[in-house]
Amino acid sequence: MSVLLKLLFRVALALVPVVGSANQVDIRMEGDYPDLLQNARAFVGEVEGHDRSSLRRYGDTVEERIQQALRALGYYNPAIAREIQEGDPPMLVMTVTPGEPVRVVSREVTITGPASDDPEFSAPFPQRPAVGDVLNHGQYESLRQAISSRASRLGYFDGKFEERRLAVNPQTREAEIRLRFASGERYRLGEVTFNEDHVFEPSFLRRFVEFEPGIPYHADKVAELSSNLSNSGYFSQSLVTAPPNEAVDRVIPVSAKVSEREPRSVGVGVGYSTDVGPRFRGNWEEHWINAEGHRRGADTELSAPRQNLTGWYEIPLDPPMTDSLRFGVGYQREDIEDVESERFSVGTQWKHEMDNDWTRVLSLRWERERFNIGDSESGTTRLLLPGVSFSKLESDSPIDPSRGYRLGLDVTGGLREFFSTVDVLQVTTQAKGLITLADNHRFLGRVDVGAVATNDYSAIPPSLRFFTGGDQSVRGYGYETLTPEDSDGAGVGGRYKLVGSVEYQYEVADNWRIATFVDRGNAIDNLADPLATGVGVGVRWISPVGPLRLDIAKGLDEEFGGGWRLHFSMGPEL
């Protein structure tokens, strides 16, 4: 019984209103001044727990804080009336008439010293507060901080304000800004030294450094070295420091401390796409083999229609972040629709990032491919295929970008005079673009074009022919079912590939988007051949590992096998 009484007592207490639990100050702004009202409320904060007498005494504090809030935004002469309204609890009502604001009548920003001749330092500073603007103390502080931050970023560590003046005359409602900054001499970056307790050669580590000793200091150079090391895949930890207080004759020593990662890793995973169904992926990588940073690995992907196994050995070049020489060997078996093939390849790739941020890959590979296409074509080809590809990616996020583009061009071919069973030239090009408007409206475009030229098309293996349709191609059609057919109706692959897509996405909740799209394309033998069209809607979930896409598409051309299809895929938009 006593337990029940205690429980009822606690419930009764919970139902009794707590006196003073509500905010006891109500600020009312005369006129349309939402920023002033928000700032005043922020300065005053929550006021609770006062009776009528203490609330009246507290009114002076509230008024002072409201005046501070308005002065911060340029209103120095407000009229403030206060009233105590009876109630439980009592309420202090503050009625504020802002009055006329203080405006900036002059602004003078002067840089003296070597920084005055430095184009990067002399780049425009924040334009606010400008002459004629209502004085905003936050904008003034941002202007002053921008000068100081730029000096630190560019190495003017001895710089100081010789004059830092904000003169306000509340009577005339005028403000004068005068900032005079003396930069002093610019510091320079010295030698980069690495710690010695690691497995790598000093000459290898120095290849990560993209600046010469003695160049003018720039914080971005230090950050770039830190990024190069941490993103290289060689280190579990990296720390780059360049403390100005250790400078000698304004030359700052740069210290880089690195710790190598575990030498080997193994990864396994399972996935699903509507193109190939369930699939298993596995990889093994030795992240560093020797002191020069060589590495090697193996990858496999197993699904019902496709199985492959590849091994590779990579030698980092200069710079090792972007340039490499890779040797590879691989085996792939495919059984998709009417095409069955087995391909063995061995080759090498030289990857190089050019000065214009394009990546160029020069390749040379030898392939042996045995294939059967329907009941009409079969054969075995041997091809020595030199090639070159160019690609460029601009994106504001590697996982879920809001804008950017990807461009690519690939050219490969072989000649019978040089260890190939057929003359062949294949050219493919891709372009993807993404733009976001008004935060929630995303527009994506995609174009994929290819062509193959040969003197004997029947000898061209399936890997060099074109097949379209599926999750990443024309939705609403089966995987690689859009292709020319032989007299028996078997898909044989086309000489040309033309695919385009436009998609609109709208964010309906955090990390969730709905989408609508139109895809159009085909693999064809003649450029005048008809194309297939697919339309649909979908859902996008931005998971921690990247977007997951679920689409319902309708292929509009029944003669190409169009119909209702479900498509599931994952990966970045670009």
Side-chain angles (χ1 to χ4, degrees), residues 110-123 125 147 150-151 154-160 162 180-188 216-217 250:
T110 305
I111 308 298
T112 63
S116 62
D117 297 322
D118 184 342
E120 192 167 2
F121 196 100
S122 302
F125 290 106
I147 297 172
R150 190 173 296 181
L154 297 179
Y156 295 96
F157 295 110
D158 296 332
K160 61 182 180 180
E162 293 181 329
R180 184 178 179 84
F181 184 81
S183 69
E185 294 294 328
R186 188 175 185 179
Y187 283 53
R188 296 182 176 274
Y217 177 92
R250 296 191 181 88

Side-chain angles (χ1 to χ4, degrees), residues 51-348:
D51 58 21
R52 191 182 197 294
S53 177
S54 65
L55 189 60
R56 183 181 298 277
R57 292 192 300 270
Y58 193 68
D60 291 339
T61 300
V62 173
E63 183 170 335
E64 181 181 349
R65 291 181 179 176
I66 292 175
Q67 289 174 342
Q68 292 173 353
L70 269 62
R71 282 199 297 270
L73 298 179
Y75 290 80
Y76 275 71
N77 296 300
I80 304 175
R82 69 178 82 167
E83 176 189 359
I84 299 290
Q85 291 184 351
E86 299 298 335
D88 187 15
M91 181 73 67
L92 174 61
V93 178
M94 308 293 291
T95 303
V96 182
T97 303
E100 292 297 320
V102 171
R103 293 187 179 273
V104 178
V105 296
S106 68
R107 164 178 157 150
E108 182 179 343
V109 178
T110 305
I111 308 298
T112 63
S116 62
D117 297 322
D118 184 342
E120 192 167 2
F121 196 100
S122 302
F125 290 106
Q127 297 300 307
R128 297 292 180 87
V131 173
D133 287 351
V134 174
L135 176 62
N136 184 310
H137 285 262
Q139 293 175 350
Y140 167 75
E141 288 300 319
S142 296
L143 172 61
R144 185 179 62 81
Q145 186 59 43
I147 297 172
S148 298
S149 298
R150 190 173 296 181
S152 297
R153 179 168 169 261
L154 297 179
Y156 295 96
F157 295 110
D158 296 332
K160 61 182 180 180
F161 284 98
E162 293 181 329
E163 186 175 3
R164 187 175 59 188
R165 182 169 177 262
L166 173 59
V168 179
N169 188 329
Q171 284 71 41
T172 62
R173 298 190 297 275
E174 295 178 341
E176 298 178 352
I177 296 173
R178 184 177 175 86
L179 295 172
R180 184 178 179 84
F181 184 81
S183 69
E185 294 294 328
R186 188 175 185 179
Y187 283 53
R188 296 182 176 274
L189 288 170
E191 291 276 358
V192 179
T193 58
F194 289 87
N195 56 305
E196 297 181 355
D197 52 339
H198 53 72
V199 301
F200 299 106
E201 287 286 344
S203 59
F204 171 64
L205 295 179
R206 281 195 293 269
R207 283 190 251 160
F208 288 93
V209 183
E210 296 188 279
F211 60 83
E212 295 294 330
I215 69 165
Y217 177 92
H218 201 303
D220 289 357
K221 294 293 184 183
V222 180
E224 186 178 60
L225 173 57
S226 179
S227 177
N228 290 346
L229 294 170
S230 62
N231 295 330
S232 67
Y234 289 106
F235 311 108
S236 61
Q237 293 182 342
S238 62
L239 176 64
V240 180
T241 57
N245 59 352
E246 296 182 9
V248 177
D249 295 330
R250 296 191 181 88
V251 177
I252 304 174
V254 183
S255 173
K257 182 176 177 57
V258 297
S259 300
E260 69 269 11
R261 65 178 297 173
E262 291 295 321
R264 300 171 189 87
S265 67
V266 176
V268 295
V270 293
Y272 178 85
S273 76
T274 44
D275 281 348
V276 299
R279 63 188 177 199
F280 167 84
R281 285 180 175 175
N283 66 79
W284 168 84
E285 183 170 349
E286 195 164 4
H287 303 284
W288 48 268
I289 301 170
N290 53 32
E292 292 295 336
H294 294 197
R295 42 190 165 194
R296 59 191 171 193
D299 304 276
T300 185
E301 180 177 324
L302 305 175
S303 65
R306 178 187 296 126
Q307 306 87 44
N308 63 54
L309 175 66
T310 60
W312 52 269
Y313 188 99
E314 185 174 281
I315 301 173
L317 302 178
D318 190 7
M321 304 82 65
T322 58
D323 291 24
S324 62
L325 185 63
R326 174 176 284 209
F327 303 91
V329 60
Y331 169 82
Q332 177 169 287
R333 182 184 180 279
E334 285 189 336
D335 188 355
I336 300 175
E337 296 295 327
D338 303 305
V339 178
E340 179 184 348
S341 69
E342 285 185 295
R343 176 161 51 110
F344 173 80
S345 63
V346 59
T348 183

Side-chain angles (χ1 to χ4, degrees), residues 431 444-449 473-475 497-503 518-522 531-534:
L444 297 91
R446 166 171 54 92
V447 175
D448 193 356
V449 178
S473 181
V474 183
R475 286 162 286 189
K497 174 176 63 173
L498 298 174
V499 174
S501 174
V502 291
E503 179 170 316
V518 178
D519 298 339
R520 185 168 173 80
N522 206 345
L531 304 180
T533 302

